[in-house]
Amino acid sequence: MDAPRVGWAVAGLFVAAILVYECIKHGIPAVIAAVIFLAVPWVPWWPLRLPWVPLAAVVVYTFEPFHWPPFYTAGLAWLTGIAAVRVVHGARVMRPTRS
């Protein structure tokens, strides 16, 4: 296993731990958002595998005055899914496919 995959595995486990905590803390709506957004990176459209959108969602939720936990858990789940895809497939997921 190469270094980037190990890094993504460690980051994914860390974000997954926070995700589980938030789902337990906030209940069913957070769990539903997490389950839906864990599947997003597995869609074969490569922009959904870039970490910037879910990372921005997590940062915006952290600093904005609104409070809706499913938004935060969706971002965490999306980041966890991206980490899982990168551990399984490696760097191949970063390049767009040519038609």
Side-chain angles (χ1 to χ4, degrees), residues 7-88:
W8 277 107
V10 170
L13 288 174
F14 177 72
V15 174
I18 296 171
L19 176 64
V20 169
Y21 169 75
E22 292 293 330
C23 285
I24 291 171
K25 181 178 174 184
H26 296 293
I28 297 298
V31 172
I32 292 170
V35 168
I36 291 170
F37 279 86
L38 269 172
V40 167
W42 296 96
V43 174
W45 191 43
W46 74 272
L48 295 178
R49 294 180 178 171
L50 299 175
W52 305 115
V53 174
L55 186 62
V58 170
V59 170
V60 164
Y61 181 81
T62 303
F63 293 110
E64 287 297 314
F66 68 91
H67 182 74
W68 193 55
F71 183 78
Y72 183 63
T73 57
L76 290 175
W78 196 350
L79 284 172
T80 304
I82 289 171
V85 167
R86 297 225 178 147
V87 168
V88 171

